[in-house]
Structure formats: C-alpha cells, structure tokens
Amino acid sequence: MGPQPHPDETRTDNGRSRRHQPVEPVLIETAEVATMLSMSTSWVYREASKLGLKGYKLGRGRNAKVLYKRTEVFKWLEQQKIH
C-alpha cells in the first residue's frame, strides 16, 4: 500500500489539490476599484456611493479603510452600462 492522502486534501478532476488553487478575494480595495473604473481614488470615495456603489468601512474615523465586494462592483458596472 502507498501513502494515504491527508483527509483535508480533496482531489479535483485535474488532479491538483484544492488547497493549492488560488482563491479570488471577496473584498477589493478602493485603489483597485478606481483602476477598474479608470477614475481617481478620491472620485470613488466621493461619488461612487452617491451613484449606488456600496462600500464597507473597516475601522473608525477619517482613516477607516473602505473595501468593496468584487461581485457588487461588477453588478454595479453592468447597471451603469445599461443606463
């Protein structure tokens, strides 16, 4: 008998273990959203929420980090193309 695989490792169809596949982040930073929109970060902070893009604050005060859900950004972009 050969070595037993670790119980947490599950094999996928292509033979790679799940643990080593890259995971797409759920939240993205304001700078990445600004790059996607070809806008400045200050525009994203000021105007995006007025246009319906919801940001999630991490922390308190002026220097709180604002992150956006990747799926919501893509949905918002699709809505902007329609209107």
Side-chain angles (χ1 to χ4, degrees):
M1 270 178 40
Q4 295 277 332
H6 192 273
D8 290 342
E9 283 188 7
T10 56
R11 295 285 175 185
T12 58
D13 292 337
N14 58 9
R16 294 186 306 178
S17 67
R18 276 189 167 173
R19 264 201 282 181
H20 300 292
Q21 291 179 353
V23 177
E24 188 173 321
V26 175
L27 297 174
I28 56 177
E29 294 184 6
T30 305
E32 191 174 345
V33 172
T35 303
M36 288 171 60
L37 301 177
S38 299
M39 296 291 193
S40 67
T41 53
S42 59
W43 182 90
V44 174
Y45 284 122
R46 268 193 328 257
E47 304 296 327
S49 64
K50 294 177 186 175
L51 297 172
L53 184 60
K54 184 177 179 185
Y56 298 90
K57 268 191 176 183
L58 298 180
R60 295 182 184 171
R62 290 180 48 191
N63 295 326
K65 191 172 209 167
V66 179
L67 300 177
Y68 299 87
K69 286 187 180 177
R70 183 177 294 274
T71 55
E72 288 181 2
V73 172
F74 287 123
K75 286 179 186 176
W76 182 80
L77 279 172
E78 287 299 316
Q79 290 175 348
Q80 299 306 309
K81 289 179 186 177
I82 293 170
H83 295 289

